[in-house]
Amino acid sequence: VRDLPRAAETPDGYDRDLFRHWIDADGDCQDTREEVLVAESRVPIDGCTITEGEWLSPYDHETWTASSDVDIDHLVPLKEAWDSGARGWGDHRRERYANDLGDSRSLVAVTDNVNQSKGEQDVAEWLPELDVCAYVRHWTVVKLRWRLTVDPAERAALVELAGSCPNRW
């Protein structure tokens, strides 16, 4: 947490469409959403369009079998990424961020209404009901991995929360 670069957020100019997402990067007929659904299902699934599986949402520990009940959460929301440095990225880097399958902590299958309640908020504004320590660790990893900054309120929340968590990654 202490290694995260600090800066005031700059929200001007954000538009979700600047982050092209849910692409089929490897040409296997599954877009990023489908890839995460397959990877996180607790039962084997395949196909191009995923409609059924079994997903355990880490934010509330609810289990879902219909993909329509599950959102794929950008753990660090697109707007938060924009405000924290992605506004200076090119289109290709923003697309890579929005479809990041390179680290399983970046995109997470979660209960849809929980994800909607989170919206574009950072850790100073929203936390999941459960597994807060994992959420804080994952948030920090995503921010470091993408060289995103933290604002003062976000950093204070991360330091406080991390201080009460076991020191494990």
Side-chain angles (χ1 to χ4, degrees), residues 57-121:
S57 172
Y59 298 170
D60 59 3
H61 290 190
E62 293 291 328
T63 299
W64 303 98
T65 57
S67 65
S68 60
D69 292 324
V70 176
D71 280 354
I72 304 306
D73 180 34
H74 289 92
L75 191 107
V76 174
L78 300 178
K79 183 178 185 320
E80 174 64 23
W82 177 268
D83 294 352
S84 303
R87 71 188 167 287
W89 298 348
D91 293 342
H92 180 68
R93 186 163 181 194
R94 283 193 301 271
E95 179 180 298
R96 285 187 13 245
Y97 179 83
N99 296 280
D100 184 10
L101 296 172
D103 187 314
S104 63
R105 296 168 286 202
S106 296
L107 298 169
V108 186
V110 301
T111 303
D112 58 357
N113 63 328
V114 173
N115 187 48
Q116 292 159 17
S117 76
K118 173 186 172 183
E120 301 169 339
Q121 299 177 87

Short mmCIF file of all heavy atoms in Angstrom, two decimals, residues 57-121:
data_model
loop_
_atom_site.label_atom_id
_atom_site.label_comp_id
_atom_site.label_asym_id
_atom_site.label_seq_id
_atom_site.Cartn_x
_atom_site.Cartn_y
_atom_site.Cartn_z
N SER A 57 -19.94 -15.57 -5.57
CA SER A 57 -19.54 -14.17 -5.53
C SER A 57 -18.71 -13.92 -4.27
O SER A 57 -19.20 -14.11 -3.16
CB SER A 57 -20.78 -13.27 -5.51
OG SER A 57 -20.42 -11.93 -5.30
N PRO A 58 -17.46 -13.47 -4.42
CA PRO A 58 -16.63 -13.25 -3.23
C PRO A 58 -17.09 -12.08 -2.37
O PRO A 58 -16.71 -12.00 -1.20
CB PRO A 58 -15.24 -12.97 -3.83
CG PRO A 58 -15.51 -12.45 -5.19
CD PRO A 58 -16.75 -13.16 -5.66
N TYR A 59 -17.91 -11.20 -2.90
CA TYR A 59 -18.33 -10.02 -2.16
C TYR A 59 -19.45 -10.30 -1.16
O TYR A 59 -19.59 -9.59 -0.17
CB TYR A 59 -18.78 -8.91 -3.10
CG TYR A 59 -17.71 -8.40 -4.04
CD1 TYR A 59 -18.05 -7.56 -5.08
CD2 TYR A 59 -16.37 -8.74 -3.90
CE1 TYR A 59 -17.08 -7.07 -5.95
CE2 TYR A 59 -15.41 -8.27 -4.76
CZ TYR A 59 -15.77 -7.44 -5.79
OH TYR A 59 -14.82 -6.95 -6.65
N ASP A 60 -20.28 -11.32 -1.44
CA ASP A 60 -21.40 -11.62 -0.54
C ASP A 60 -21.59 -13.12 -0.31
O ASP A 60 -22.49 -13.52 0.41
CB ASP A 60 -22.70 -11.00 -1.08
CG ASP A 60 -23.09 -11.50 -2.46
OD1 ASP A 60 -22.39 -12.38 -3.02
OD2 ASP A 60 -24.09 -11.00 -3.00
N HIS A 61 -20.76 -13.95 -0.93
CA HIS A 61 -20.78 -15.41 -0.82
C HIS A 61 -22.10 -16.02 -1.30
O HIS A 61 -22.47 -17.10 -0.86
CB HIS A 61 -20.43 -15.88 0.59
CG HIS A 61 -19.00 -15.66 0.93
ND1 HIS A 61 -18.43 -16.18 2.05
CD2 HIS A 61 -18.01 -14.97 0.32
CE1 HIS A 61 -17.16 -15.82 2.11
NE2 HIS A 61 -16.89 -15.08 1.07
N GLU A 62 -22.77 -15.33 -2.20
CA GLU A 62 -23.96 -15.89 -2.83
C GLU A 62 -23.51 -16.75 -4.01
O GLU A 62 -22.53 -16.43 -4.69
CB GLU A 62 -24.89 -14.78 -3.33
CG GLU A 62 -25.52 -13.97 -2.22
CD GLU A 62 -26.53 -14.75 -1.39
OE1 GLU A 62 -27.20 -15.65 -1.92
OE2 GLU A 62 -26.64 -14.44 -0.18
N THR A 63 -24.25 -17.84 -4.27
CA THR A 63 -23.96 -18.72 -5.39
C THR A 63 -25.03 -18.53 -6.45
O THR A 63 -26.22 -18.47 -6.14
CB THR A 63 -23.92 -20.19 -4.94
OG1 THR A 63 -22.86 -20.34 -3.97
CG2 THR A 63 -23.65 -21.13 -6.10
N TRP A 64 -24.58 -18.44 -7.70
CA TRP A 64 -25.48 -18.22 -8.84
C TRP A 64 -25.24 -19.27 -9.89
O TRP A 64 -24.10 -19.69 -10.12
CB TRP A 64 -25.26 -16.82 -9.41
CG TRP A 64 -25.46 -15.76 -8.38
CD1 TRP A 64 -24.50 -15.12 -7.66
CD2 TRP A 64 -26.72 -15.29 -7.89
NE1 TRP A 64 -25.08 -14.25 -6.76
CE2 TRP A 64 -26.43 -14.33 -6.89
CE3 TRP A 64 -28.04 -15.55 -8.21
CZ2 TRP A 64 -27.43 -13.65 -6.20
CZ3 TRP A 64 -29.03 -14.88 -7.53
CH2 TRP A 64 -28.72 -13.94 -6.54
N THR A 65 -26.31 -19.70 -10.57
CA THR A 65 -26.17 -20.68 -11.64
C THR A 65 -26.53 -20.11 -13.01
O THR A 65 -26.22 -20.71 -14.02
CB THR A 65 -27.05 -21.93 -11.36
OG1 THR A 65 -28.40 -21.52 -11.20
CG2 THR A 65 -26.56 -22.65 -10.10
N ALA A 66 -27.17 -18.96 -13.04
CA ALA A 66 -27.48 -18.29 -14.31
C ALA A 66 -26.51 -17.14 -14.51
O ALA A 66 -26.34 -16.29 -13.62
CB ALA A 66 -28.92 -17.76 -14.30
N SER A 67 -25.86 -17.09 -15.66
CA SER A 67 -24.88 -16.03 -15.90
C SER A 67 -25.51 -14.65 -15.88
O SER A 67 -24.83 -13.66 -15.60
CB SER A 67 -24.14 -16.27 -17.21
OG SER A 67 -25.03 -16.15 -18.30
N SER A 68 -26.81 -14.58 -16.12
CA SER A 68 -27.49 -13.29 -16.09
C SER A 68 -27.56 -12.69 -14.69
O SER A 68 -27.82 -11.49 -14.54
CB SER A 68 -28.90 -13.43 -16.67
OG SER A 68 -29.65 -14.35 -15.91
N ASP A 69 -27.30 -13.49 -13.66
CA ASP A 69 -27.29 -13.00 -12.28
C ASP A 69 -25.90 -12.54 -11.83
O ASP A 69 -25.72 -12.13 -10.69
CB ASP A 69 -27.77 -14.10 -11.32
CG ASP A 69 -29.24 -14.42 -11.51
OD1 ASP A 69 -30.01 -13.48 -11.79
OD2 ASP A 69 -29.61 -15.60 -11.38
N VAL A 70 -24.94 -12.63 -12.74
CA VAL A 70 -23.55 -12.35 -12.42
C VAL A 70 -23.04 -11.22 -13.31
O VAL A 70 -23.25 -11.22 -14.51
CB VAL A 70 -22.68 -13.61 -12.64
CG1 VAL A 70 -21.22 -13.34 -12.41
CG2 VAL A 70 -23.16 -14.75 -11.74
N ASP A 71 -22.39 -10.25 -12.68
CA ASP A 71 -21.65 -9.21 -13.42
C ASP A 71 -20.17 -9.54 -13.34
O ASP A 71 -19.72 -10.17 -12.37
CB ASP A 71 -21.85 -7.83 -12.79
CG ASP A 71 -23.15 -7.16 -13.16
OD1 ASP A 71 -23.90 -7.69 -14.01
OD2 ASP A 71 -23.44 -6.09 -12.58
N ILE A 72 -19.42 -9.08 -14.32
CA ILE A 72 -17.97 -9.15 -14.24
C ILE A 72 -17.51 -7.77 -13.77
O ILE A 72 -17.67 -6.78 -14.46
CB ILE A 72 -17.32 -9.53 -15.58
CG1 ILE A 72 -17.91 -10.85 -16.11
CG2 ILE A 72 -15.80 -9.60 -15.42
CD1 ILE A 72 -17.84 -12.03 -15.15
N ASP A 73 -16.99 -7.75 -12.55
CA ASP A 73 -16.56 -6.51 -11.93
C ASP A 73 -15.13 -6.18 -12.32
O ASP A 73 -14.23 -7.02 -12.19
CB ASP A 73 -16.65 -6.66 -10.40
CG ASP A 73 -16.21 -5.41 -9.66
OD1 ASP A 73 -16.45 -4.31 -10.17
OD2 ASP A 73 -15.65 -5.56 -8.56
N HIS A 74 -14.92 -4.97 -12.82
CA HIS A 74 -13.56 -4.44 -12.92
C HIS A 74 -13.22 -4.05 -11.48
O HIS A 74 -13.76 -3.08 -10.97
CB HIS A 74 -13.51 -3.21 -13.83
CG HIS A 74 -13.69 -3.54 -15.28
ND1 HIS A 74 -14.94 -3.52 -15.87
CD2 HIS A 74 -12.81 -3.89 -16.22
CE1 HIS A 74 -14.80 -3.86 -17.15
NE2 HIS A 74 -13.52 -4.08 -17.38
N LEU A 75 -12.39 -4.86 -10.82
CA LEU A 75 -12.14 -4.64 -9.39
C LEU A 75 -11.81 -3.17 -9.12
O LEU A 75 -12.40 -2.56 -8.24
CB LEU A 75 -11.03 -5.55 -8.89
CG LEU A 75 -10.95 -5.54 -7.37
CD1 LEU A 75 -11.48 -6.82 -6.79
CD2 LEU A 75 -9.57 -5.23 -6.89
N VAL A 76 -10.90 -2.62 -9.87
CA VAL A 76 -10.70 -1.17 -9.87
C VAL A 76 -11.53 -0.67 -11.05
O VAL A 76 -11.19 -0.92 -12.20
CB VAL A 76 -9.21 -0.79 -10.01
CG1 VAL A 76 -9.06 0.73 -10.16
CG2 VAL A 76 -8.41 -1.29 -8.82
N PRO A 77 -12.65 0.00 -10.76
CA PRO A 77 -13.58 0.39 -11.83
C PRO A 77 -12.92 1.23 -12.92
O PRO A 77 -11.92 1.92 -12.68
CB PRO A 77 -14.64 1.21 -11.09
CG PRO A 77 -14.57 0.75 -9.67
CD PRO A 77 -13.13 0.41 -9.43
N LEU A 78 -13.49 1.17 -14.10
CA LEU A 78 -12.95 1.91 -15.23
C LEU A 78 -12.82 3.40 -14.93
O LEU A 78 -11.80 4.01 -15.25
CB LEU A 78 -13.81 1.68 -16.48
CG LEU A 78 -13.93 0.22 -16.95
CD1 LEU A 78 -14.86 0.13 -18.15
CD2 LEU A 78 -12.57 -0.39 -17.23
N LYS A 79 -13.84 3.98 -14.32
CA LYS A 79 -13.76 5.41 -13.99
C LYS A 79 -12.66 5.68 -12.98
O LYS A 79 -11.92 6.67 -13.09
CB LYS A 79 -15.09 5.95 -13.47
CG LYS A 79 -15.00 7.46 -13.20
CD LYS A 79 -16.29 8.06 -12.74
CE LYS A 79 -16.24 9.56 -12.60
NZ LYS A 79 -15.03 10.14 -12.06
N GLU A 80 -12.52 4.82 -11.99
CA GLU A 80 -11.44 4.97 -11.01
C GLU A 80 -10.08 4.88 -11.70
O GLU A 80 -9.16 5.64 -11.38
CB GLU A 80 -11.57 3.93 -9.90
CG GLU A 80 -10.42 3.91 -8.92
CD GLU A 80 -10.26 5.18 -8.10
OE1 GLU A 80 -11.24 5.94 -7.92
OE2 GLU A 80 -9.14 5.42 -7.62
N ALA A 81 -9.95 3.96 -12.64
CA ALA A 81 -8.70 3.85 -13.41
C ALA A 81 -8.45 5.15 -14.17
O ALA A 81 -7.34 5.68 -14.18
CB ALA A 81 -8.76 2.66 -14.35
N TRP A 82 -9.49 5.66 -14.82
CA TRP A 82 -9.38 6.92 -15.57
C TRP A 82 -8.89 8.05 -14.66
O TRP A 82 -7.94 8.76 -14.97
CB TRP A 82 -10.73 7.28 -16.18
CG TRP A 82 -10.73 8.59 -16.91
CD1 TRP A 82 -11.04 9.82 -16.40
CD2 TRP A 82 -10.38 8.79 -18.28
NE1 TRP A 82 -10.92 10.78 -17.38
CE2 TRP A 82 -10.52 10.18 -18.54
CE3 TRP A 82 -9.99 7.95 -19.31
CZ2 TRP A 82 -10.26 10.73 -19.79
CZ3 TRP A 82 -9.73 8.50 -20.56
CH2 TRP A 82 -9.86 9.87 -20.79
N ASP A 83 -9.55 8.18 -13.52
CA ASP A 83 -9.23 9.25 -12.58
C ASP A 83 -7.83 9.10 -12.00
O ASP A 83 -7.23 10.07 -11.54
CB ASP A 83 -10.22 9.26 -11.42
CG ASP A 83 -11.64 9.61 -11.84
OD1 ASP A 83 -11.86 10.00 -13.00
OD2 ASP A 83 -12.54 9.48 -10.98
N SER A 84 -7.30 7.87 -12.02
CA SER A 84 -6.02 7.55 -11.38
C SER A 84 -4.87 7.40 -12.36
O SER A 84 -3.82 6.88 -11.99
CB SER A 84 -6.17 6.25 -10.57
OG SER A 84 -7.20 6.37 -9.63
N GLY A 85 -5.09 7.82 -13.60
CA GLY A 85 -3.98 7.79 -14.55
C GLY A 85 -4.30 7.28 -15.94
O GLY A 85 -3.57 7.56 -16.89
N ALA A 86 -5.37 6.50 -16.10
CA ALA A 86 -5.68 5.92 -17.41
C ALA A 86 -6.08 6.97 -18.44
O ALA A 86 -6.04 6.72 -19.63
CB ALA A 86 -6.76 4.85 -17.29
N ARG A 87 -6.44 8.17 -17.98
CA ARG A 87 -6.78 9.25 -18.92
C ARG A 87 -5.58 9.56 -19.82
O ARG A 87 -5.75 10.06 -20.92
CB ARG A 87 -7.26 10.49 -18.19
CG ARG A 87 -6.17 11.20 -17.44
CD ARG A 87 -6.70 12.32 -16.55
NE ARG A 87 -5.68 12.77 -15.63
CZ ARG A 87 -5.25 12.11 -14.57
NH1 ARG A 87 -5.78 10.93 -14.28
NH2 ARG A 87 -4.30 12.58 -13.80
N GLY A 88 -4.38 9.27 -19.35
CA GLY A 88 -3.17 9.53 -20.13
C GLY A 88 -2.75 8.37 -21.01
O GLY A 88 -1.74 8.46 -21.72
N TRP A 89 -3.49 7.27 -20.96
CA TRP A 89 -3.15 6.10 -21.77
C TRP A 89 -3.73 6.23 -23.17
O TRP A 89 -4.72 6.92 -23.39
CB TRP A 89 -3.73 4.84 -21.15
CG TRP A 89 -3.24 4.47 -19.79
CD1 TRP A 89 -2.17 5.00 -19.11
CD2 TRP A 89 -3.80 3.47 -18.95
NE1 TRP A 89 -2.05 4.38 -17.89
CE2 TRP A 89 -3.03 3.44 -17.76
CE3 TRP A 89 -4.87 2.60 -19.06
CZ2 TRP A 89 -3.30 2.56 -16.72
CZ3 TRP A 89 -5.15 1.73 -18.03
CH2 TRP A 89 -4.36 1.71 -16.87
N GLY A 90 -3.17 5.45 -24.07
CA GLY A 90 -3.73 5.34 -25.41
C GLY A 90 -4.88 4.33 -25.43
O GLY A 90 -5.10 3.59 -24.46
N ASP A 91 -5.59 4.30 -26.54
CA ASP A 91 -6.74 3.40 -26.69
C ASP A 91 -6.38 1.94 -26.44
O ASP A 91 -7.12 1.22 -25.78
CB ASP A 91 -7.34 3.52 -28.09
CG ASP A 91 -7.98 4.88 -28.35
OD1 ASP A 91 -8.28 5.60 -27.38
OD2 ASP A 91 -8.18 5.20 -29.54
N HIS A 92 -5.24 1.50 -26.96
CA HIS A 92 -4.86 0.09 -26.83
C HIS A 92 -4.63 -0.29 -25.36
O HIS A 92 -5.08 -1.35 -24.92
CB HIS A 92 -3.61 -0.20 -27.66
CG HIS A 92 -3.15 -1.62 -27.58
ND1 HIS A 92 -3.88 -2.67 -28.11
CD2 HIS A 92 -2.08 -2.17 -26.98
CE1 HIS A 92 -3.25 -3.81 -27.86
NE2 HIS A 92 -2.16 -3.53 -27.17
N ARG A 93 -3.96 0.56 -24.60
CA ARG A 93 -3.70 0.24 -23.19
C ARG A 93 -5.01 0.24 -22.40
O ARG A 93 -5.21 -0.60 -21.52
CB ARG A 93 -2.70 1.22 -22.59
CG ARG A 93 -2.31 0.82 -21.18
CD ARG A 93 -1.07 1.49 -20.70
NE ARG A 93 -0.78 1.04 -19.35
CZ ARG A 93 0.07 1.62 -18.55
NH1 ARG A 93 0.76 2.65 -18.97
NH2 ARG A 93 0.27 1.16 -17.33
N ARG A 94 -5.91 1.17 -22.68
CA ARG A 94 -7.20 1.16 -21.99
C ARG A 94 -7.99 -0.11 -22.34
O ARG A 94 -8.64 -0.70 -21.48
CB ARG A 94 -8.01 2.42 -22.33
CG ARG A 94 -7.51 3.65 -21.59
CD ARG A 94 -8.48 4.81 -21.68
NE ARG A 94 -8.74 5.22 -23.04
CZ ARG A 94 -8.05 6.13 -23.71
NH1 ARG A 94 -7.02 6.73 -23.15
NH2 ARG A 94 -8.38 6.43 -24.94
N GLU A 95 -7.91 -0.55 -23.58
CA GLU A 95 -8.58 -1.80 -23.98
C GLU A 95 -7.97 -2.99 -23.23
O GLU A 95 -8.69 -3.86 -22.75
CB GLU A 95 -8.46 -2.01 -25.48
CG GLU A 95 -9.10 -3.29 -25.97
CD GLU A 95 -8.96 -3.47 -27.47
OE1 GLU A 95 -9.49 -2.62 -28.22
OE2 GLU A 95 -8.32 -4.46 -27.89
N ARG A 96 -6.65 -3.02 -23.12
CA ARG A 96 -5.99 -4.11 -22.38
C ARG A 96 -6.43 -4.11 -20.92
O ARG A 96 -6.67 -5.17 -20.34
CB ARG A 96 -4.47 -3.99 -22.48
CG ARG A 96 -3.92 -4.42 -23.83
CD ARG A 96 -2.40 -4.48 -23.94
NE ARG A 96 -1.66 -4.42 -22.71
CZ ARG A 96 -0.84 -3.41 -22.37
NH1 ARG A 96 -0.66 -2.39 -23.17
NH2 ARG A 96 -0.18 -3.45 -21.23
N TYR A 97 -6.53 -2.93 -20.31
CA TYR A 97 -6.98 -2.84 -18.93
C TYR A 97 -8.41 -3.36 -18.77
O TYR A 97 -8.70 -4.15 -17.87
CB TYR A 97 -6.89 -1.38 -18.44
CG TYR A 97 -7.37 -1.24 -17.01
CD1 TYR A 97 -6.53 -1.51 -15.95
CD2 TYR A 97 -8.69 -0.89 -16.73
CE1 TYR A 97 -6.96 -1.42 -14.64
CE2 TYR A 97 -9.13 -0.78 -15.42
CZ TYR A 97 -8.27 -1.06 -14.38
OH TYR A 97 -8.72 -0.98 -13.09
N ALA A 98 -9.29 -2.95 -19.65
CA ALA A 98 -10.71 -3.32 -19.57
C ALA A 98 -10.93 -4.81 -19.80
O ALA A 98 -11.97 -5.34 -19.41
CB ALA A 98 -11.52 -2.51 -20.57
N ASN A 99 -9.98 -5.49 -20.40
CA ASN A 99 -10.10 -6.91 -20.73
C ASN A 99 -8.96 -7.72 -20.12
O ASN A 99 -8.55 -8.74 -20.67
CB ASN A 99 -10.08 -7.07 -22.26
CG ASN A 99 -11.27 -6.41 -22.90
OD1 ASN A 99 -12.35 -6.96 -22.92
ND2 ASN A 99 -11.07 -5.20 -23.42
N ASP A 100 -8.46 -7.31 -18.98
CA ASP A 100 -7.26 -7.89 -18.37
C ASP A 100 -7.50 -9.30 -17.84
O ASP A 100 -7.99 -9.49 -16.73
CB ASP A 100 -6.78 -6.98 -17.24
CG ASP A 100 -5.48 -7.46 -16.63
OD1 ASP A 100 -4.84 -8.39 -17.18
OD2 ASP A 100 -5.08 -6.91 -15.58
N LEU A 101 -7.11 -10.27 -18.63
CA LEU A 101 -7.16 -11.67 -18.21
C LEU A 101 -5.80 -12.16 -17.72
O LEU A 101 -5.65 -13.32 -17.37
CB LEU A 101 -7.65 -12.56 -19.36
CG LEU A 101 -9.08 -12.30 -19.84
CD1 LEU A 101 -9.39 -13.10 -21.10
CD2 LEU A 101 -10.09 -12.60 -18.74
N GLY A 102 -4.83 -11.27 -17.66
CA GLY A 102 -3.48 -11.63 -17.26
C GLY A 102 -3.30 -11.80 -15.75
O GLY A 102 -2.30 -12.32 -15.31
N ASP A 103 -4.28 -11.34 -14.98
CA ASP A 103 -4.23 -11.48 -13.52
C ASP A 103 -5.67 -11.68 -13.06
O ASP A 103 -6.52 -10.81 -13.28
CB ASP A 103 -3.63 -10.23 -12.89
CG ASP A 103 -3.40 -10.40 -11.39
OD1 ASP A 103 -4.32 -10.90 -10.70
OD2 ASP A 103 -2.33 -10.03 -10.90
N SER A 104 -5.95 -12.79 -12.43
CA SER A 104 -7.32 -13.15 -12.06
C SER A 104 -7.95 -12.19 -11.05
O SER A 104 -9.14 -12.25 -10.80
CB SER A 104 -7.37 -14.58 -11.51
OG SER A 104 -6.60 -14.67 -10.32
N ARG A 105 -7.16 -11.30 -10.49
CA ARG A 105 -7.71 -10.34 -9.53
C ARG A 105 -8.31 -9.12 -10.20
O ARG A 105 -9.02 -8.35 -9.55
CB ARG A 105 -6.62 -9.92 -8.54
CG ARG A 105 -6.14 -11.11 -7.69
CD ARG A 105 -4.89 -10.78 -6.93
NE ARG A 105 -3.75 -10.75 -7.86
CZ ARG A 105 -2.49 -10.92 -7.48
NH1 ARG A 105 -2.20 -11.10 -6.22
NH2 ARG A 105 -1.52 -10.88 -8.36
N SER A 106 -8.06 -8.91 -11.46
CA SER A 106 -8.52 -7.71 -12.16
C SER A 106 -10.01 -7.73 -12.47
O SER A 106 -10.69 -6.71 -12.37
CB SER A 106 -7.75 -7.53 -13.47
OG SER A 106 -6.40 -7.29 -13.21
N LEU A 107 -10.52 -8.87 -12.90
CA LEU A 107 -11.91 -9.04 -13.30
C LEU A 107 -12.50 -10.18 -12.48
O LEU A 107 -11.94 -11.28 -12.44
CB LEU A 107 -12.01 -9.37 -14.79
CG LEU A 107 -11.47 -8.30 -15.74
CD1 LEU A 107 -11.38 -8.84 -17.17
CD2 LEU A 107 -12.33 -7.06 -15.69
N VAL A 108 -13.65 -9.92 -11.84
CA VAL A 108 -14.20 -10.88 -10.89
C VAL A 108 -15.70 -11.07 -11.14
O VAL A 108 -16.44 -10.08 -11.25
CB VAL A 108 -13.98 -10.38 -9.44
CG1 VAL A 108 -14.42 -11.42 -8.43
CG2 VAL A 108 -12.54 -9.98 -9.21
N ALA A 109 -16.16 -12.32 -11.18
CA ALA A 109 -17.59 -12.62 -11.31
C ALA A 109 -18.25 -12.42 -9.96
O ALA A 109 -17.87 -13.05 -8.97
CB ALA A 109 -17.78 -14.06 -11.80
N VAL A 110 -19.23 -11.50 -9.92
CA VAL A 110 -19.88 -11.15 -8.65
C VAL A 110 -21.38 -11.00 -8.84
O VAL A 110 -21.87 -10.84 -9.96
CB VAL A 110 -19.30 -9.83 -8.06
CG1 VAL A 110 -17.81 -9.97 -7.80
CG2 VAL A 110 -19.58 -8.65 -8.95
N THR A 111 -22.10 -11.02 -7.74
CA THR A 111 -23.55 -10.80 -7.76
C THR A 111 -23.84 -9.47 -8.44
O THR A 111 -23.25 -8.44 -8.08
CB THR A 111 -24.09 -10.79 -6.32
OG1 THR A 111 -23.74 -12.03 -5.69
CG2 THR A 111 -25.60 -10.60 -6.29
N ASP A 112 -24.74 -9.49 -9.42
CA ASP A 112 -24.96 -8.29 -10.24
C ASP A 112 -25.39 -7.07 -9.45
O ASP A 112 -24.84 -5.98 -9.62
CB ASP A 112 -25.91 -8.57 -11.41
CG ASP A 112 -27.28 -9.06 -10.99
OD1 ASP A 112 -27.54 -9.27 -9.79
OD2 ASP A 112 -28.11 -9.26 -11.91
N ASN A 113 -26.33 -7.22 -8.52
CA ASN A 113 -26.78 -6.02 -7.80
C ASN A 113 -25.73 -5.50 -6.82
O ASN A 113 -25.70 -4.31 -6.51
CB ASN A 113 -28.14 -6.23 -7.12
CG ASN A 113 -28.10 -7.28 -6.05
OD1 ASN A 113 -27.35 -8.24 -6.14
ND2 ASN A 113 -28.93 -7.13 -5.04
N VAL A 114 -24.84 -6.37 -6.35
CA VAL A 114 -23.74 -5.91 -5.49
C VAL A 114 -22.77 -5.08 -6.33
O VAL A 114 -22.32 -4.00 -5.90
CB VAL A 114 -23.03 -7.10 -4.81
CG1 VAL A 114 -21.79 -6.63 -4.06
CG2 VAL A 114 -23.99 -7.82 -3.88
N ASN A 115 -22.47 -5.55 -7.52
CA ASN A 115 -21.59 -4.79 -8.41
C ASN A 115 -22.21 -3.44 -8.76
O ASN A 115 -21.53 -2.42 -8.80
CB ASN A 115 -21.29 -5.59 -9.68
CG ASN A 115 -20.25 -4.92 -10.53
OD1 ASN A 115 -19.20 -4.51 -10.05
ND2 ASN A 115 -20.53 -4.80 -11.81
N GLN A 116 -23.50 -3.44 -8.98
CA GLN A 116 -24.18 -2.18 -9.30
C GLN A 116 -24.15 -1.22 -8.12
O GLN A 116 -24.03 -0.01 -8.31
CB GLN A 116 -25.60 -2.47 -9.78
CG GLN A 116 -25.60 -3.17 -11.13
CD GLN A 116 -26.88 -3.93 -11.43
OE1 GLN A 116 -27.91 -3.71 -10.81
NE2 GLN A 116 -26.80 -4.84 -12.40
N SER A 117 -24.22 -1.74 -6.89
CA SER A 117 -24.13 -0.86 -5.72
C SER A 117 -22.72 -0.28 -5.58
O SER A 117 -22.56 0.83 -5.07
CB SER A 117 -24.54 -1.59 -4.44
OG SER A 117 -23.53 -2.46 -4.00
N LYS A 118 -21.73 -1.00 -6.01
CA LYS A 118 -20.35 -0.52 -5.98
C LYS A 118 -20.16 0.59 -7.00
O LYS A 118 -19.55 1.62 -6.70
CB LYS A 118 -19.37 -1.67 -6.29
CG LYS A 118 -17.94 -1.22 -6.44
CD LYS A 118 -17.06 -2.38 -6.87
CE LYS A 118 -15.66 -1.91 -7.22
NZ LYS A 118 -14.82 -3.01 -7.70
N GLY A 119 -20.68 0.38 -8.19
CA GLY A 119 -20.55 1.38 -9.24
C GLY A 119 -19.11 1.74 -9.51
O GLY A 119 -18.27 0.89 -9.71
N GLU A 120 -18.83 3.03 -9.47
CA GLU A 120 -17.50 3.56 -9.80
C GLU A 120 -16.71 3.96 -8.56
O GLU A 120 -15.72 4.67 -8.65
CB GLU A 120 -17.67 4.77 -10.73
CG GLU A 120 -18.39 4.42 -12.01
CD GLU A 120 -18.81 5.63 -12.82
OE1 GLU A 120 -18.90 6.75 -12.26
OE2 GLU A 120 -19.04 5.46 -14.03
N GLN A 121 -17.12 3.46 -7.40
CA GLN A 121 -16.53 3.90 -6.14
C GLN A 121 -15.20 3.21 -5.83
O GLN A 121 -14.99 2.06 -6.20
CB GLN A 121 -17.52 3.64 -5.00
CG GLN A 121 -18.84 4.40 -5.19
CD GLN A 121 -19.82 4.06 -4.12
OE1 GLN A 121 -19.82 4.70 -3.07
NE2 GLN A 121 -20.66 3.06 -4.34
#
